[in-house]
Amino acid sequence: AQSVTQLDSHVSVSEGTPVLLRCNYSSSYSPSLFWYVQHPNKGLQLLLKYTSAATLVKGINGFEAEFKKSETSFHLTKPSAHMSDAAEYFCVVSDVVGSSNTGKLIFGQGTTLQVKP
Amino acid sequence: EAGVVQSPRYKIIEKKQPVAFWCNPISGHNTLYWYLQNLGQGPELLIRYENEEAVDDSQLPKDRFSAERLKGVDSTLKIQPAELGDSAVYLCASSKDRGLTEQYFGPGTRLTVT
């Protein structure tokens, strides 16, 4: 079965400093991985996705993530945090049964990013 | 392009009362999902529709929860009767198909059962 573990429930950074949100995955097959962001009272928004193409994936708002198979990791980074980045971030893996993608997303527990002025 | 629309945004009911949530997906999206998000946790899939067919409802508590997607467009999720533990955010999402295309999420309905 597929699963993701977000290693930090809360991350606090100062504006202008780098952001690192950590995620490890478990999957029987080559996984499809995503990062979603959830701002208060707003819907989840896709930041980026990895689907077995380039291992370094660039997303919206300056975020990127690197797929590392040897470490089973998919950490999210951003060089310089902005106040508007404060939100809840979810690492997500696509469910696979047999060798077929079911379309079901399996979410991590989430990481709250706080950005201090 | 309009996003996924959900209503109501907030609902407060007493336990044992019924409640219904409505979702209008993005036009042309064949696949519709209902997720449950408990406080401090990631969303969990309740049910997935492809057009009007429920293709994955294994996580839906069928003793009190029901859902429908008549005509393969709008969908309604119902709880009857509600319990205190049902207090959560109910999210609706849609995608063009069940593959690796992006799922677009609505703002959710926050349910409080007292």
Side-chain angles (χ1 to χ4, degrees), chain A residues 32 36 38 41-44 46 49 51 90 94 101-105 107-109, chain B residues 9-10 33 35 37 40-43 45 48 91 98-100 102-103 105-107:
Chain A
S32 295
Y36 276 81
Q38 187 175 36
N41 299 315
K42 292 189 177 181
L44 285 152
L46 180 67
K49 65 179 180 182
T51 54
F90 293 96
S94 184
N101 169 45
T102 68
K104 174 181 176 180
L105 297 182
F107 285 76
Q109 296 283 70
Chain B
R9 292 293 310 279
Y10 304 91
Y33 313 77
Y35 288 87
Q37 185 176 19
Q41 297 185 21
L45 182 69
R48 174 168 62 90
L91 297 168
R98 74 177 179 108
L100 295 174
E102 179 178 353
Q103 293 187 22
F105 285 80

Side-chain angles (χ1 to χ4, degrees), chain A residues 85-105:
Chain A
D85 294 327
E88 189 79 10
Y89 291 79
F90 293 96
C91 183
V92 183
V93 65
S94 184
D95 187 39
V96 175
V97 175
S99 59
S100 298
N101 169 45
T102 68
K104 174 181 176 180
L105 297 182

